[in-house]
Every structure is written in C-alpha cells, then in structure tokens.
C-alpha cells in the first residue's frame, strides 16, 4: 500500500482542487515562470548561435583565415603558394593585393576597401564565387580593368553591369604641374551579395589590374589562406612562415574580426546568465508554494504518519509534487522554445514587413536580419540545469514536512 504512496499523493496534490486557491495560483505561476524562462533561454541562445554562424559563414567566409604578406615586395608568390598548400591543414591559397581607397560613380563618392584577387584561385579561400547575383568572377579575366562590388554599394552609387566607376588609391602621382592622387576608370562586371557589411565597402578587381594602379609591377601584397580549423589559423600561418626561406609577416582573421567574434561569445554567456534569473525566480516560487502547501496540509500529514507513513515517504510526497511542477514547466518551455527558435527569423521578417520597421540595419550591423540556429546541446544543458535546480528547491519544504510531529498537530485539530 505504502510502496507508491509518495508518487500517488504527490500527483494527487498537484491536480486536486485545493481549499487554498492562493497556493494553487503560486504553483501555477511557478510552472508558467519555468516555461517562460526555458523558452526564452532557448530562443535567445539560438539567436546568438545564429549570429555566431553568420559570423563564421559570411564574414569569415569572405575574409581569409590567415595571410602571409610582404606588402609590395611579395614577388615569388607561386613558389610560396605551393609551400603553403603542402601543409595538411591548408585547404586553399590565393594571392591578393589590398588597399584603402575611394570609388566614384554618378557624382557619388564612397570610401572602400580595394581588393585585387586571382579569379582562378579565389574560390579556394572565399565564398565570393557562390554569392554573385550579377556577372561572374571569370569576367575579371575577360575584361581589362573590370571591377566587382557589393549589392549595397551598387545601390548607393546607382550603377549596374557595364557602367564605369573610378577608383582612387591614396598613393600620389608626381607630375610636372602638381602632385595628384592615382586613379583609374574601371568597368563594373559583377555584383555580389553576402548579406553583410562587406556588401557596402568591398571593391574587387583583378590582382594584375590593381598592381598596375598601385605601381607594384609583378609584386603582390601576399597570400590568403583557408584552413581546416578556423581557431588554429594563426598557428598554421606561423608554421608555414617558419618553413619559408625569407622573413614574412603572418596574420589571421582575429586581427580584423576577432573582437566581433569575442563580443558575440561574451554576449551569449552574459545574456544566458541574465535570462537564467527568470528560471531562478520561478524556482523560488516553487519553494514558496511548497512551504505554504506544507503548512496547509499539516493535518493530513499527521494523519498519514499515524497510519504508518514514514518520514521518508512524507519527504517523497512533496518532492514528487515540486519535481512534477518542474518537469511540466520544463517540457512546455522546451516545446515552445524549440518552435520559437525554428520560426523566430520568419516571425521577425513578417513583423518587419507588416509594420514597416527594421530591427537590424546592415549599415550599422554586419547583417540585416535575425538569424537563428537551434543547438540541441544548449537545449539539453538548459533543461538539465533547470530540472536539477527544481529538484533541489523541493528538499527544504519536503524536509520540513517530514519533521512534522503528529502529536503536536492533532492536539490542536478540532
């Protein structure tokens, strides 16, 4: 009879209509609080995972994982490229030239990052060829002094394929009359869109054309590398640098994008910690509701004790009830959180369209939409941690119930 007593009575208390409706209200609030806490945690961490994914696939897909450089003096590029490709963790290598500059079209001027690439090898280090919305990378080989720009920059300048743009580099040309900035007319042969800040700032041309504009001759700035492990890119670049016959500069993506990546990771941890306070409040409500329930049920506890129930069984009754509240809240929270994480991008997109608002501006942030990526590992950690805390929160009220003296309670029962 008493073997399943804690489970039977604990679940009965959970679903029964109590005389004290305030206790029922507090228990309901506890359950709703756990549901909201778990749901919000899953959704928010999924959004943070989405930002992390976009950071890796879009921004870090466009920028090299590592570089080996010697600006303006890198002349034996093919030899060094073959040495780099021999490293087992290097997926691709491509030559490049970079410079800050300006682009002018239709009387509109914008600052830009000028990048000279090798069209035949750039696909091994960049996702650029996969994100062309007009023209192609191969057009840089077909058109002398051709240029590719991002969709946002093309819209700002008001240009389309075949239009002329003027690129200006900071180096000066000395003439008899004066010192003038160096510039050249280019033809727009392609437009890319990666949905990031680079769409409005990156200008790409053939490495030979930019070398002519920069007066590099047959030299380039260096090699871009793509590695198998993003987080070992620096060490891989150092290993390759030590194998080279001369001294070269080596760098990796953390020099330019590391702060942004670290900020996303830090925000994920801090936001997760702050939102977990919602769960803590809900768990505290479980303690409050159980303490009031124990006080309300002192007479019934005394009767059970006189019928032969042990202190351990009384302890189990209230632990079962508190645990059941936690399990129901967690289950509902996980269900709603998973649904929300899978649909939050569509919901936000609909909201932006319906109410003509924009949550993220690509001119300010590196993307212009809300990304989301559900990580089942996060779901497991959230649900497990919440369940453990919920179980621990039942120990004190259940212990107090197990210590109730039947004689003292029944003495004052009418």
């Amino acid at each position: 009879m008493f073997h399943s007593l804690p489970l039977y009575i604990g679940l009965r208390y959970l679903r029964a209509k109590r005389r004290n409706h305030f206790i029922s209200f507090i228990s309901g609030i506890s359950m709703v609080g756990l549901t909201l806490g778990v749901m919000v945690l899953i959704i928010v961490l999924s959004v943070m995972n989405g930002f992390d994914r976009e950071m890796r696939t879009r921004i870090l897909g466009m920028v090299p994982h590592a570089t080996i450089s010697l600006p303006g003096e890198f002349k034996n590029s093919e030899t060094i490229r073959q040495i780099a490709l021999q490293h087992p963790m290097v997926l691709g290598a491509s030559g490049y030239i970079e410079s800050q500059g300006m682009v002018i079209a239709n009387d509109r001027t914008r600052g830009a990052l000028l990048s000279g690439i090798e069209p035949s090898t750039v696909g091994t280090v960049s996702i650029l060829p996969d994100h062309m919305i007009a023209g192609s990378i191969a057009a840089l080989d077909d058109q002398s002094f051709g240029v590719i720009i991002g969709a946002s920059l093309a819209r700002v300048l008001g240009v389309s394929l075949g239009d002329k743009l003027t690129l200006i580099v900071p180096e000066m040309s000395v003439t008899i009359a004066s010192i003038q900035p160096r510039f050249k007319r280019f033809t727009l042969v392609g437009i890319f869109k990666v949905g990031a800040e680079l769409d409005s700032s990156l200008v790409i041309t053939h490495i030979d054309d930019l070398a002519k504009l920069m007066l590099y001759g047959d030299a380039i700035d260096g090699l871009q590398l793509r590695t198998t492990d993003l987080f070992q890119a620096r060490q891989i670049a150092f290993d390759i640098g030590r194998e080279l016959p001369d001294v070269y500069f080596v760098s990796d993506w953390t020099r330019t994008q590391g702060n942004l990546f670290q900020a996303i990771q830090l925000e994920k941890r801090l936001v997760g910690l702050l939102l977990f306070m919602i769960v803590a409040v809900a768990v505290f409500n479980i303690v409050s509701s159980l303490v009031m329930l124990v006080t309300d049920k002192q007479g019934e506890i005394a009767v059970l004790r006189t019928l032969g129930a042990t202190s351990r069984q009384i302890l189990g009754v209230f632990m079962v009830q508190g645990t059941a509240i936690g399990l129901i809240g967690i289950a509902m929270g996980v269900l709603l959180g998973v649904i929300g994480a899978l649909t939050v991008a569509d919901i936000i997109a609909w909201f932006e369209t319906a109410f003509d608002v924009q949550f993220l501006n690509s001119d300010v942030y590196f993307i212009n939409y809300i990304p989301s990526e559900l990580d089942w590992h996060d779901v497991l950690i959230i649900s497990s941690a919440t369940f453990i805390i919920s179980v621990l929160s039942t120990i004190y009220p259940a212990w107090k119930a197990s210590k109730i003296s039947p004689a003292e309670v029944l003495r004052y029962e009418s």
Side-chain angles (χ1 to χ4, degrees):
M1 173 181 176
F2 291 102
H3 182 69
S4 59
L5 183 68
L7 182 63
Y8 175 77
I9 298 180
L11 295 179
R12 184 177 177 85
Y13 277 170
L14 184 67
R15 66 178 183 268
K17 293 182 179 180
R18 304 186 183 96
R19 292 170 296 175
N20 193 332
H21 296 289
F22 182 71
I23 299 177
S24 301
F25 176 75
I26 294 297
S27 298
I29 290 296
S30 304
M31 194 177 299
V32 172
L34 280 176
T35 299
L36 291 177
V38 172
M39 179 188 72
V40 171
L41 263 175
I42 292 174
I43 293 176
V44 171
L45 291 185
S46 297
V47 171
M48 301 303 294
N49 290 335
F51 276 104
D52 180 80
R53 179 197 63 202
E54 295 302 314
M55 172 71 180
R56 297 192 189 193
T57 59
R58 292 183 179 271
I59 294 184
L60 297 183
M62 287 291 291
V63 302
H65 291 177
T67 60
I68 302 173
S69 62
L70 200 60
E73 300 179 9
F74 203 111
K75 296 184 178 181
N76 52 344
S77 59
E78 185 58 29
T79 301
I80 297 177
R81 179 174 175 273
Q82 293 303 322
I83 294 175
L85 289 175
Q86 292 176 6
H87 194 286
M89 298 185 70
V90 173
L91 297 175
S94 181
Y96 76 96
I97 296 177
E98 281 187 354
S99 176
Q100 296 292 331
M102 301 181 70
V103 57
I104 303 175
N106 298 325
D107 296 327
R108 301 173 185 175
T109 304
R110 289 291 183 274
L113 173 63
L114 309 182
S115 179
I117 64 169
E118 294 180 349
S120 60
T121 58
V122 69
T124 63
V125 298
S126 172
I127 63 173
L128 177 64
D130 300 326
H131 289 79
M132 298 295 298
I133 61 174
S136 66
I137 296 293
L140 293 177
D141 283 325
D142 302 333
Q143 171 72 47
S144 179
F145 291 102
V147 69
I148 297 173
I149 64 176
S152 299
L153 184 57
R155 184 175 61 253
V156 170
L157 296 176
V159 293
S160 57
L161 293 185
D163 290 345
K164 299 293 183 179
L165 300 87
T166 300
L167 299 188
I168 301 177
V169 296
E171 283 78 6
M172 299 296 179
S173 297
V174 180
T175 65
I176 298 177
S178 62
I179 299 177
Q180 298 179 346
R182 197 173 302 138
F183 61 90
K184 177 68 180 177
R185 295 273 284 178
F186 283 73
T187 302
L188 183 61
V189 298
I191 299 175
F192 68 87
K193 183 178 181 180
V194 294
E197 184 182 0
L198 295 174
D199 288 350
S200 61
S201 61
L202 184 60
V203 175
I204 299 170
T205 186
H206 197 288
I207 192 170
D208 294 338
D209 295 337
L210 191 55
K212 293 174 184 177
L213 182 60
M214 303 284 292
L215 301 180
Y216 273 12
D218 59 349
I220 61 176
D221 280 340
L223 289 176
Q224 297 176 336
L225 306 178
R226 186 174 185 84
T227 64
T228 57
D229 191 336
L230 186 68
F231 298 100
Q232 293 188 34
R234 177 183 297 180
Q235 185 59 47
I236 294 171
F238 284 147
D239 293 342
I240 295 173
R242 283 194 291 265
E243 296 177 5
L244 299 179
D246 298 318
V247 178
Y248 293 87
F249 299 111
V250 296
S251 182
D252 70 320
W253 63 274
T254 59
R255 296 289 182 89
T256 57
Q257 307 295 337
N259 289 338
L260 179 58
F261 183 81
Q262 291 176 1
I264 293 175
Q265 296 298 312
L266 179 61
E267 287 176 2
K268 179 181 177 180
R269 296 188 185 96
L270 291 179
V271 169
L273 180 61
L274 292 175
L275 291 178
F276 200 75
M277 295 299 102
I278 298 176
V279 175
V281 171
V283 169
F284 181 78
N285 286 336
I286 293 178
V287 177
S288 302
S289 63
L290 288 180
V291 168
M292 289 187 290
L293 181 64
V294 168
T295 303
D296 185 57
K297 299 295 185 180
Q298 285 189 8
E300 296 178 17
I301 294 171
V303 171
L304 286 173
R305 291 298 304 275
T306 58
L307 291 175
T310 65
S311 297
R312 180 174 297 182
Q313 289 173 327
I314 299 299
L315 179 77
V317 167
F318 293 95
M319 288 193 68
V320 165
Q321 184 180 9
T323 302
I325 293 174
L327 281 175
I328 295 173
I330 293 169
M332 294 175 61
V334 168
L335 177 62
L336 295 177
V338 169
I339 294 174
L342 295 176
T343 60
V344 63
D346 296 329
I347 293 174
I348 295 297
W350 174 85
F351 193 88
E352 289 180 335
T353 302
F355 296 95
D356 194 25
V357 297
Q358 187 175 22
F359 288 98
L360 294 180
N361 189 334
S362 59
D363 294 334
V364 179
Y365 304 97
F366 68 91
I367 57 176
N368 57 2
Y369 60 94
I370 303 294
S372 178
E373 180 178 9
L374 180 65
D375 187 342
W376 289 104
H377 183 257
D378 286 342
V379 175
L380 179 61
I381 291 177
I382 292 169
S383 55
S384 299
T386 305
F387 175 72
I388 291 173
I389 295 176
S390 299
V391 172
L392 293 177
S393 70
T394 65
I395 293 177
Y396 175 74
W399 176 79
K400 292 291 290 184
S402 68
K403 295 302 180 182
I404 291 177
S405 173
E408 291 295 328
V409 174
L410 294 176
R411 178 185 304 175
Y412 299 103
E413 289 287 331
S414 57

